[in-house]
Amino acid sequence: MNRSDGKASVVTEEIASFTDNGILLKSGEELTADVIVTATGLNLRVLGDIRFEVDGQAIDFPSTFSYKAMMYSDVPNIVSTFGYINASWTLRSDLTAEYACRLINHMDTAGMRQCTPRLREEDRDMQALPWIENFSSGYIQRCTHLLPRQGNRTPWVNTQNYDLDRKMIRDGKIADDVLEFSNPVT
Ligand SMILES: Cc1cc2nc3c(=O)[nH]c(=O)nc-3n(C[C@H](O)[C@H](O)[C@H](O)COP(=O)(O)OP(=O)(O)OC[C@H]3O[C@@H](n4cnc5c(N)ncnc54)[C@H](O)[C@@H]3O)c2cc1C
C-alpha cells in the first residue's frame, strides 16, 4: 500500500494518548490502528545506565555537581565525556581526554590512587542548575532530572563554550582547591 493508492494518509497533529483502538490526537480525532510504531523520541540512559557505587552506596548523580562537566562531586576516579551541542562534539571530547591523561599522569607522579572533587566551603550553598541550559531537545528534557547538576561558578559549570573550556580544562592546574588527592600508593 502506498499513499497514492488513497489507502494511506498523513496526519500532522499532537498525540494525546493511546486508546483501545489506536491513538487519540489533541484535536479529539481518534486514529484507529492495527499496529503502532512509536517514534516520539528515545529515552536516554544516563552514564550507560551503569549502577555506580562508592563504598557500597549507590551514587545519586542528580545530587552531585559536575566538576568541569566531566567529574562529579564526592565521586572518586571517574571522568565521563560530554561534548558540545553548539559545536563539534569531539572538540570537547578531545579536551576531556587530554585532561584525563594529565590527571592520571599527575596521580602517578604524586603516588596517589584517588582523586575526588569536593565542594569548597564557599560552594556549599551553591544553587543547583540543570546539567545543560537552553537545550530544548526532547531527549535531554526527558532526562534532565536524572543528570548531575551544574553550579554557577568555575569549576562546577558546563560552559558549552570552547574558549572558556580551554581556560578551565586545558590551561587550568590539575591540583586546584577542589580536587582532593588521597589513598597514597604504599
Ligand atoms: C544539537 C544536536 C546535535 C546532535 N548531533 C548528533 C550527532 O552528531 N550524531 C548523532 O548520532 N546524534 C546526534 N544528535 C542526537 C539525535 O538528534 C537524536 O538522538 C535523534 O534525533 C533521536 O531520534 P528520535 O527519533 O528518537 O527522536 P526525535 O528526533 O526527537 O523525534 C521524535 C519526534 O516525535 C515528535 N513527538 C514527540 N511527542 C509527540 C506527540 N505527543 N505527538 C506528536 N509528535 C510527537 C517530536 O516532535 C519529534 O519530531 C544530536 C542532537 C542535537 C539536539
Side-chain angles (χ1 to χ4, degrees):
M1 180 170 74
N2 64 48
R3 208 176 156 206
S4 58
D5 296 336
K7 293 179 182 167
S9 59
V10 173
V11 178
T12 304
E13 241 292 3
E14 196 170 334
I15 300 163
S17 65
F18 291 110
T19 65
D20 290 343
N21 302 317
I23 288 170
L24 179 67
L25 301 179
K26 275 267 169 76
S27 64
E29 186 187 355
E30 187 177 4
L31 305 177
T32 53
D34 297 321
V35 175
I36 297 170
V37 179
T38 58
T40 48
L42 54 81
N43 286 319
L44 193 140
R45 300 291 179 201
V46 176
L47 289 161
D49 239 3
I50 298 165
R51 182 186 152 90
F52 288 93
E53 294 180 354
V54 174
D55 298 332
Q57 294 291 310
I59 299 166
D60 179 43
F61 279 101
S63 306
T64 69
F65 280 98
S66 83
Y67 173 77
K68 302 189 178 189
M70 65 168 85
M71 298 172 77
Y72 308 100
S73 56
D74 296 333
V75 183
N77 293 4
I78 182 174
V79 174
S80 65
T81 300
F82 189 90
Y84 288 117
I85 60 164
N86 49 16
S88 160
W89 185 268
T90 47
L91 205 54
R92 193 165 200 288
S93 305
D94 276 352
L95 283 180
T96 305
E98 184 186 290
Y99 179 88
C101 292
R102 285 173 61 214
L103 177 60
I104 291 167
N105 287 339
H106 176 91
M107 291 172 75
D108 280 350
T109 305
M112 292 290 174
R113 287 182 292 199
Q114 190 172 321
C115 62
T116 316
R118 303 277 191 206
L119 292 179
R120 298 163 297 198
E121 206 48 48
E122 67 265 31
D123 298 327
R124 300 228 165 255
D125 61 350
M126 191 161 55
Q127 194 189 353
L129 301 168
W131 165 257
I132 192 156
E133 295 199 280
N134 305 318
F135 192 34
S136 57
S137 295
Y139 70 104
I140 293 290
Q141 292 297 314
R142 280 191 293 279
C143 74
T144 294
H145 64 291
L146 302 172
L147 294 169
R149 302 290 178 240
Q150 63 168 316
N152 59 1
R153 66 199 68 153
T154 305
W156 305 108
V157 283
N158 184 3
T159 68
Q160 290 294 301
N161 178 313
Y162 184 62
D163 283 339
L164 295 178
D165 276 348
R166 259 196 335 212
K167 286 194 192 97
M168 179 172 72
I169 299 170
R170 180 170 286 160
D171 301 341
K173 283 193 303 188
I174 293 289
D176 60 10
D177 54 351
V178 166
L179 266 194
E180 177 191 280
F181 293 93
S182 59
N183 202 353
V185 177
T186 47

